[in-house]
């Protein structure tokens, strides 16, 4: 299985109240690829592996420019777009966004 790619959220459409299976969706521009409809990936909120990012996507939507890592699932037909799956936020320099508590003497 190919490794993970990195990219940027280029657009996000928030969930619509009352619609079945409408949790929000957006588009991802893969790093190193030109930004156009044929190279952008489709992203469903439910394909976001990180629970915090998935909740943010479903409740507030994702801001364009949000950096992520993901795997590419190829389109099943020529009428569909490829999908971004196993989506997680891009962590800089392997750092963790959580603070670690120091032990006192």
């Amino acid at each position: 299985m190919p490794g993970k790619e990195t990219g940027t959220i280029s657009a996000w459409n928030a969930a619509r109240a009352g619609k079945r299976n409408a949790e929000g969706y957006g588009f991802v521009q893969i790093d190193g690829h030109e930004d156009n409809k044929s190279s952008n990936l489709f992203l469903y909120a439910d394909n976001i592996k990180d629970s915090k990012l998935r909740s943010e996507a479903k409740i507030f939507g994702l801001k364009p420019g949000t950096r992520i890592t993901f795997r590419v699932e190829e389109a099943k037909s020529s009428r569909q777009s490829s999908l971004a799956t196993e989506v997680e936020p891009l962590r800089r320099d392997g750092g963790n966004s959580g603070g670690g508590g120091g032990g006192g003497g």
Side-chain angles (χ1 to χ4, degrees):
M1 178 180 285
K4 282 202 163 189
E5 300 276 352
T6 58
T8 306
I9 301 294
S10 57
W12 190 261
N13 296 292
R16 292 185 180 187
K19 290 279 196 175
R20 271 183 65 197
N21 300 325
E23 299 292 346
Y25 64 93
F27 299 92
V28 177
Q29 178 184 350
I30 304 172
D31 287 349
H33 289 72
E34 190 173 321
D35 185 18
N36 62 49
K37 288 182 180 180
S38 65
S39 67
N40 282 355
L41 303 175
F42 198 76
L43 168 60
Y44 287 107
D46 283 339
N47 286 347
I48 300 173
K49 186 176 179 180
D50 181 80
S51 61
K52 183 177 177 183
L53 188 64
R54 184 173 56 246
S55 293
E56 181 182 331
K58 289 181 176 186
I59 296 168
F60 305 110
L62 296 178
K63 294 178 185 166
T66 301
R67 302 278 297 142
I68 58 172
T69 65
F70 53 89
R71 292 194 189 279
V72 176
E73 182 179 305
E74 295 300 325
K76 292 180 172 73
S77 77
S78 62
R79 302 178 104 197
Q80 295 178 331
S81 295
S82 295
L83 297 173
T85 62
E86 297 182 36
V87 177
E88 296 180 298
L90 182 63
R91 307 207 193 289
R92 294 192 175 121
D93 302 326
N96 195 338
S97 58

